[in-house]
Amino acid sequence: METIIVSIISLVGTLGGSLGGILVANKLTNYRVEQLEKKVEKHNQVVERVYKLEQDNAVQDEEIKVANHRIEDLEKGGK
């Protein structure tokens, strides 16, 4: 009878320890996933800002080309 009680207590202790370990590991995994999500969000914001800057730069380049053509036309017409 004592052997059965000791076995049951050992089983309960083993199950409790395993469950505790699983819960702690799960919390750590969730925390790390949240941190990665934050980093990805920051990265995505940077990518969006760079894309916007590139678009603005392309517009400015086109405006400079137009202005240069106008200057060339004025210089040709003035001679």
Side-chain angles (χ1 to χ4, degrees):
M1 187 66 170
E2 288 180 26
T3 307
I4 295 174
I5 293 173
V6 170
S7 298
I8 292 172
I9 291 173
S10 296
L11 177 65
V12 169
T14 301
L15 291 176
S18 295
L19 182 61
I22 290 170
L23 292 175
V24 169
N26 190 34
K27 285 182 182 180
L28 178 60
T29 300
N30 286 339
Y31 172 76
R32 293 185 67 170
V33 167
E34 287 174 10
Q35 297 306 310
L36 286 172
E37 287 173 345
K38 288 178 184 178
K39 286 182 180 182
V40 167
E41 181 60 31
K42 284 181 183 179
H43 176 268
N44 288 343
Q45 289 174 354
V46 170
V47 169
E48 289 172 6
R49 288 176 26 209
V50 168
Y51 179 73
K52 175 75 169 116
L53 288 172
E54 289 174 345
Q55 285 180 324
D56 292 345
N57 192 28
V59 169
Q60 290 173 353
D61 287 346
E62 188 61 33
E63 290 174 348
I64 289 171
K65 286 180 185 177
V66 169
N68 285 336
H69 285 296
R70 288 181 181 170
I71 292 169
E72 288 175 9
D73 290 345
L74 288 172
E75 289 175 343
K76 289 178 184 175
K79 291 183 179 179

